[in-house]
Amino acid sequence: MTLNFETDYLVKELKKRKPKKILVQLAEGIKQNATEFAPIFEKLGIEAIFSGETEWGACAPAIQEAEALGVDLLVHFGHAPFFDAKFPILYIEVRDELDLTPLLKKSLPFLKKYKKIGFSYSIQHRHDIEKVKDFYKKNKKQIMLSKKLGHVAYEGHIVGCQYAGLKSIENEVDCFVILGNQFHGMGAVLSVDKPVILIDVYNDKVMDLSGLRDKILKQRMASIEKFKKSKNVGIIVEIKPGQKFGSPKYLVDRIKEQGKNPILITMNELTPDKILNFYNIDAFVELACPRIAIDDFAKYPRTIITFKEALVALGIKSWKEMLRIGLV
Ligand code: SF4
């Protein structure tokens, strides 16, 4: 796998925007490339500082860090824009230069029963989408890209917490194919009730993920039931700019109405060790990335659910209704 960092575009934009000092934010898998970028900035006479903090997603451009450091521009590698920020940000999406043909061929036996395919891709594969469409067309499949809804940047683009674009075409397709990784595939399984085939480019395999749905939903239901029995509830709000999944005030009011004691807790980044000392809190609702509660629940010492799951636990939405909307 070869990564294309779109260096020409980077240099062109930097020459145009003329920053004197920048903060560079690299996705985890490309932090090792920091030393390759440093000479580019130096040659342009730009003072560059690399963020050592974890870069989880486009929901969390390091705006506070950038402001604290007094830089003119934040250069964010590895994601597409997620929201309109007031701070100047240059997004470098990073292309994965990979011949997808062998994996697309591997996907065909999984698609034997299906003709109309809903298709979504992670951002690193956007440049390949026309080739993908041609491949499936030649193999007599109809491709429909997921819609550009919510915080995705393009038609077909998939983000781990944004599945409205897939839901919107669910009734028009026989199955979904996700080109990306397990994280994106799992989110799709929880959001649509059609078979989900994952083309996992990072592990070089194709998988039918449909069987995962019931297993995960059962686990989520168990967490919701535990939450119902809790008395003291922590509502965790992160300060990352794009992670605002639900209204804390609304939740506090609804939880009080049920005779529970809610407290609001803020964090830069939610981790299992940070909730340990709140030892008299029985259960938590996190309004940060919904995938924390869903994917990492086993790492947490107490019950932890998402905003949407809290709506179910509090009887505001039924489980059936939430599944129709999509759990993620
Ligand atoms: S909220 Fe979670 S899933 Fe959504 S972009 Fe951020 S890290 Fe990814």
Side-chain angles (χ1 to χ4, degrees):
M1 183 188 303
T2 311
L3 295 178
N4 176 340
F5 294 110
E6 303 180 271
T7 318
D8 292 347
Y9 172 68
L10 170 69
V11 170
K12 194 175 124 208
E13 282 298 308
L14 290 174
K15 281 184 176 167
K16 192 168 88 191
R17 300 186 189 209
K18 300 186 179 49
K20 289 194 169 47
K21 188 175 171 185
I22 60 173
L23 176 65
V24 185
Q25 212 185 356
L26 300 168
E28 293 318 288
I30 56 172
K31 280 208 165 57
Q32 59 188 326
N33 301 90
T35 50
E36 286 172 38
F37 299 122
I40 299 174
F41 303 130
E42 206 176 318
K43 209 172 158 192
L44 292 167
I46 298 168
E47 183 188 347
I49 305 167
F50 290 84
S51 172
E53 297 299 323
T54 310
E55 185 197 302
W56 293 113
C59 60
I63 295 173
Q64 284 176 319
E65 221 177 324
E67 283 174 341
L69 291 163
V71 303
D72 317 309
L73 179 71
L74 170 61
V75 182
H76 181 106
F77 280 83
H79 300 107
F82 189 86
F83 64 102
D84 290 331
K86 289 196 183 103
F87 195 87
I89 305 177
L90 169 60
Y91 289 90
I92 304 292
E93 291 173 0
V94 182
R95 294 170 176 208
D96 195 344
E97 305 283 3
L98 173 81
D99 178 10
L100 288 172
T101 317
L103 273 167
L104 293 174
K105 281 184 184 163
K106 267 191 208 175
S107 75
L108 289 175
F110 289 84
L111 300 172
K112 260 186 200 154
K113 291 187 282 180
Y114 314 123
K115 182 147 179 65
K116 293 181 186 165
I117 298 167
F119 194 89
S120 303
Y121 57 85
S122 60
I123 197 67
Q124 282 67 38
H125 306 289
R126 183 163 86 95
H127 61 287
D128 273 329
I129 202 62
E130 289 310 316
K131 284 186 211 155
V132 170
K133 279 187 190 165
D134 284 350
F135 174 87
Y136 283 124
K137 203 173 161 190
K138 276 182 198 141
N139 285 281
K140 304 192 172 21
K141 306 285 179 197
Q142 285 173 25
I143 293 288
M144 184 180 275
L145 293 179
S146 51
K147 296 232 168 85
K148 182 183 175 307
L149 292 174
H151 293 282
V152 299
Y154 310 101
E155 196 183 33
H157 176 208
I158 198 166
V159 174
C161 55
Q162 305 291 318
Y163 289 91
L166 281 81
K167 284 239 60 113
S168 68
I169 60 166
E170 188 173 7
N171 291 336
E172 297 167 63
V173 300
D174 304 321
C175 72
F176 284 91
V177 171
I178 309 298
L179 175 64
N181 59 27
Q182 284 260 10
F183 180 71
H184 295 121
M186 257 184 63
V189 160
L190 293 177
S191 306
V192 295
D193 199 9
K194 288 270 164 84
V196 174
I197 313 299
L198 170 67
I199 300 183
D200 183 347
V201 280
Y202 304 98
N203 292 302
D204 193 30
K205 57 185 180 187
V206 179
M207 285 173 279
D208 185 339
L209 298 182
S210 315
L212 279 178
R213 182 174 161 92
D214 284 351
K215 194 176 150 211
I216 304 170
L217 291 184
K218 248 187 216 157
Q219 192 289 315
R220 297 320 301 154
M221 201 57 213
S223 290
I224 289 170
E225 288 305 316
K226 279 191 201 156
F227 180 89
K228 284 184 187 170
K229 293 183 190 124
S230 65
K231 182 76 182 159
N232 296 332
V233 174
I235 300 165
I236 300 169
V237 185
E238 273 194 7
I239 57 168
K240 293 196 181 93
Q243 292 195 357
K244 308 221 178 313
F245 292 89
S247 157
K249 169 85 175 69
Y250 175 81
L251 209 51
V252 166
D253 292 347
R254 299 292 83 73
I255 288 173
K256 275 188 189 160
E257 280 168 11
Q258 305 231 342
K260 298 180 191 290
N261 307 320
I263 62 157
L264 273 177
I265 304 167
T266 178
M267 290 184 190
N268 287 333
E269 186 159 320
L270 168 58
T271 54
D273 55 312
K274 281 187 189 156
I275 67 170
L276 268 180
N277 288 336
F278 291 96
Y279 58 83
N280 62 342
I281 302 279
D282 308 312
F284 294 85
V285 185
E286 58 102 352
L287 309 189
C289 171
R291 302 297 299 271
I292 297 174
I294 294 173
D295 297 40
D296 294 344
F297 75 94
K299 294 180 189 161
Y300 281 80
R302 237 68 56 70
T303 299
I304 184 159
I305 62 174
T306 67
F307 180 75
K308 283 185 173 179
E309 291 168 344
L311 296 183
V312 175
L314 297 168
I316 298 162
K317 294 255 182 240
S318 71
W319 180 238
K320 213 171 152 189
E321 204 178 344
M322 195 50 84
L323 292 187
R324 194 164 38 75
I325 297 167
L327 201 59
V328 181

